[in-house]
Amino acid sequence: MDLIIKNGIIVTDRKIIKSDVGVKGEKIVSITKNLKPKSETEVIDATGKYVIPGGIDVHTHFQLPVNDTITSDDFYTGTKSAACGGVTTIIDFATQDKKRGMLYGIKRRIEEANKKVCIDYSLHCVIVDWNDSTEAEMREVIKFGIPTFKMFMIYEERGLQSDDAMLFRALELSRKLDARIMVHAESDNIINLLIKRYSKIKGIGAYGHALSRPNYVEEEAIQRVIKWAEIMKGRLYIVHMSTGEGADLVKNARAKGIDVVAETCPQYLLFTDDIFKDKKIGHLYATCPQIKKKKDNVRLWKGLVDGEVSVVATDTCTFTKEQKARWKGNFTKIPFGMPGVETMIPVIYTFGVLKKKFSLNCFVSLISTNPAKVMGLYPRKGTITIGSDADLVIFEPTRKIKVDYKKLATHCDWSPYQGMELAGFPDITISRGRVVVKNGEFVGEAGWGKFLKRKHSN
Ligand SMILES: [Zn+2]
């Protein structure tokens, strides 16, 4: 064995056991007490600490050009910050090239990522156009190792929108080709109408962003796309669900046997749209969808416990204060997005487990096992078992750290969690058998991460 983790409290989605974990090369080869190291074996003492499977954030946007700017975390600082937050796999996006096709967009993105990634990664293919070759291209992409396709119900003006007919056909193919369709569900027409109305009001500031995207904008779109999934017996995944109404819809659909999985993000669990009334920092919190109300926070937490919301991801899309300042008081011009991958595990652990909302096992399910299963990475990722990749995170159960963006690895110069006391930051992060974070410090390297080929598995 090359590495032995001694005396840890091993936590998976199902078990909590005291054991050693033995690693050879990139894989877990032994889970038992009293493993004996040889002289060359690296030994990590995890007495009194949790050992969990590495976090999997299936929704990041690193190095993403948006209008005339680009997100401030590239694949290097983005995956470095992921590792420092205990995330050992990310899934980002590659947009179909309207002229040269899906695989072209994917290969270009892989070229950008490969030299920079510090942890393993994969991509979802974003569909923005439908033509005669789309079905054949989807088959190619699935064969290439990407069984998940993202579609937008909004952003018509950016040329990204899928209409109902596209969603209908994609969901039809998701069943036929064994894929899953990930949908950003908001009603474009209604948002645009409300934006027009509210941007006329002087001094409305960032709060106009909240007013122009009320809950029904998401509710109506989720309801509509669930209907198409029901009719086509498709496989659906709702990204970054932000409303309690969404959770109700997904719960009812699942009860009827419709294959829909929902993801939410820490920002929709913790914050409320009152933040947009803050004249100084409100605009920084503008995301899309935007942050909703207290009752939505409560309902989404309940969804995580009950199971209709089964994946936590971050939608990390970092813009610096300077980039965010481009809005100049016009809420329609704020670059949407916030940092999150580095704080996802601490936030969910602190507010979920330590506040006794759910068990440690449930926590591991939400940030690792469920995303691994839904995205076709399980059991290579998402669990601690013999034969799995040695992607492991070790942390002290109660040690809290006060979040300070200056000490985080992200390139972003602010954090929505600034000043919060969070437990669950890793002492050690291991990526495929290699220690990449030690005593909270990044010791990994660009280019270590590998592109993961996936296969739809459930
Ligand atoms: Zn996103």
Side-chain angles (χ1 to χ4, degrees):
M1 265 170 263
D2 301 310
L3 170 67
I4 292 176
I5 298 158
K6 294 290 290 178
N7 300 317
I9 305 158
I10 316 298
V11 185
T12 66
D13 62 322
R14 287 190 206 159
K15 289 185 199 161
I16 301 176
I17 50 163
K18 277 197 180 172
S19 178
D20 298 347
V21 178
V23 175
K24 188 163 176 58
E26 301 186 344
K27 301 282 182 189
I28 293 167
V29 292
S30 181
I31 304 165
T32 183
K33 283 188 180 174
N34 302 317
L35 284 174
K36 299 273 178 286
K38 290 193 176 143
S39 59
E40 70 276 13
T41 310
E42 185 179 353
V43 177
I44 294 170
D45 178 17
T47 308
K49 295 180 185 178
Y50 291 141
V51 181
I52 64 169
I56 300 175
D57 184 353
V58 302
H59 194 154
T60 65
H61 301 281
F62 299 139
Q63 220 166 309
L64 175 72
V66 179
N67 297 331
D68 56 346
T69 187
I70 185 161
T71 54
S72 69
D73 275 308
D74 66 4
F75 277 107
Y76 175 64
T77 61
T79 55
K80 178 179 160 184
S81 79
C84 289
V87 169
T88 52
T89 302
I90 59 110
I91 310 185
D92 209 286
F93 297 83
T95 304
Q96 166 191 21
D97 188 290
K98 280 190 183 177
K99 283 197 193 105
R100 285 162 286 199
M102 292 181 188
L103 220 45
Y104 178 87
I106 290 164
K107 285 180 178 164
R108 223 180 48 178
R109 198 78 172 131
I110 288 175
E111 239 170 70
E112 287 175 356
N114 268 353
K115 282 184 219 138
K116 293 188 178 178
V117 283
C118 314
I119 55 166
D120 289 351
Y121 78 105
S122 185
L123 298 167
H124 309 288
C125 178
V126 185
I127 299 177
V128 292
D129 184 36
W130 202 281
N131 55 51
D132 292 344
S133 66
T134 299
E135 178 173 345
E137 283 190 49
M138 282 175 77
R139 285 180 190 276
E140 246 181 13
V141 169
I142 292 164
K143 216 170 151 195
F144 186 80
I146 299 180
T148 44
F149 298 85
K150 162 101 175 269
M151 299 172 87
F152 293 94
M153 294 172 84
I154 63 161
Y155 295 140
E156 188 190 8
E157 83 290 353
R158 292 193 203 172
L160 300 174
Q161 190 188 37
S162 291
D163 60 19
D164 285 345
M166 282 169 73
L167 292 165
F168 193 87
R169 287 151 104 182
L171 283 161
E172 182 176 24
L173 287 176
S174 72
R175 170 171 46 89
K176 205 163 123 188
L177 308 182
D178 211 8
R180 192 171 285 276
I181 307 300
M182 306 167 73
V183 175
H184 178 141
E186 286 189 296
S187 170
D188 210 34
N189 291 337
I190 304 302
I191 290 174
N192 291 335
L193 174 88
L194 295 176
I195 284 175
K196 261 189 204 150
R197 282 192 188 173
Y198 287 108
S199 46
K200 282 185 194 140
I201 300 172
K202 280 213 168 102
I204 194 160
Y207 198 60
H209 182 53
L211 291 172
S212 56
R213 291 163 187 269
N215 286 34
Y216 55 76
V217 157
E218 181 177 275
E219 183 188 7
E220 183 278 329
I222 290 180
Q223 182 178 287
R224 185 159 27 114
V225 72
I226 282 178
K227 191 70 200 171
W228 305 145
E230 179 182 15
I231 290 168
M232 296 324 301
K233 296 189 171 54
R235 299 196 174 97
L236 177 62
Y237 181 99
I238 307 291
V239 294
H240 51 45
M241 195 167 70
S242 65
T243 60
E245 288 86 344
D248 290 340
L249 286 167
V250 170
K251 184 172 186 158
N252 293 338
R254 288 171 64 89
K256 279 164 83 180
I258 303 168
D259 188 348
V260 51
V261 175
E263 158 197 297
T264 192
C265 313
Q267 56 269 31
Y268 305 121
L269 295 164
L270 258 64
F271 305 125
T272 68
D273 62 9
D274 286 333
I275 190 75
F276 298 115
K277 293 175 183 163
D278 187 313
K279 294 263 185 290
K280 270 192 200 149
I281 58 160
H283 68 286
L284 295 176
Y285 288 73
T287 53
C288 179
Q290 59 91 352
I291 290 157
K292 304 293 192 303
K293 313 267 182 210
K294 184 79 200 163
K295 68 174 174 52
D296 299 295
N297 303 156
V298 172
R299 180 64 186 86
L300 290 167
W301 279 112
K302 186 174 159 23
L304 295 177
V305 177
D306 294 351
E308 61 268 19
V309 189
S310 56
V311 174
V312 174
T314 64
D315 198 9
T316 293
C317 190
T318 53
F319 292 105
T320 61
K321 282 188 275 198
E322 196 190 322
Q323 287 174 304
K324 285 271 187 179
R326 289 156 178 251
W327 80 305
K328 297 198 179 94
N330 176 351
F331 74 84
T332 68
K333 300 265 189 270
I334 312 172
F336 297 144
M338 56 169 61
V341 66
E342 196 166 353
T343 43
M344 173 177 83
I345 288 179
V347 164
I348 299 304
Y349 175 73
T350 304
F351 291 93
V353 178
L354 294 187
K355 296 265 184 197
K356 301 200 181 343
K357 287 193 182 75
F358 45 64
S359 67
L360 266 173
N361 304 103
C362 181
F363 155 70
V364 169
S365 302
L366 293 168
I367 54 96
S368 184
T369 314
N370 293 349
K373 285 182 175 170
V374 149
M375 297 303 166
L377 290 167
Y378 187 86
R380 178 172 178 191
K381 309 284 191 190
T383 188
I384 300 176
T385 192
I386 291 168
S388 292
D389 281 358
D391 286 3
L392 299 161
V393 171
I394 304 172
F395 68 95
E396 282 181 32
T398 54
R399 185 174 59 99
K400 290 192 172 176
I401 291 175
K402 196 172 186 175
V403 176
D404 180 0
Y405 69 84
K406 289 177 200 138
K407 291 180 186 154
L408 295 177
T410 170
H411 186 254
C412 197
D413 60 354
W414 67 282
S415 169
Y417 308 99
Q418 184 72 9
M420 281 188 194
E421 306 253 354
L422 301 178
F425 278 104
D427 297 325
I428 288 177
T429 303
I430 298 167
S431 162
R432 271 186 290 107
R434 172 180 175 166
V435 174
V436 292
V437 173
K438 201 173 188 175
N439 303 322
E441 294 294 319
F442 182 71
V443 293
E445 73 177 313
W448 168 256
K450 280 187 185 160
F451 176 75
L452 300 166
K453 287 188 183 287
R454 299 181 288 124
K455 208 174 174 180
H456 193 260
S457 51
N458 66 327

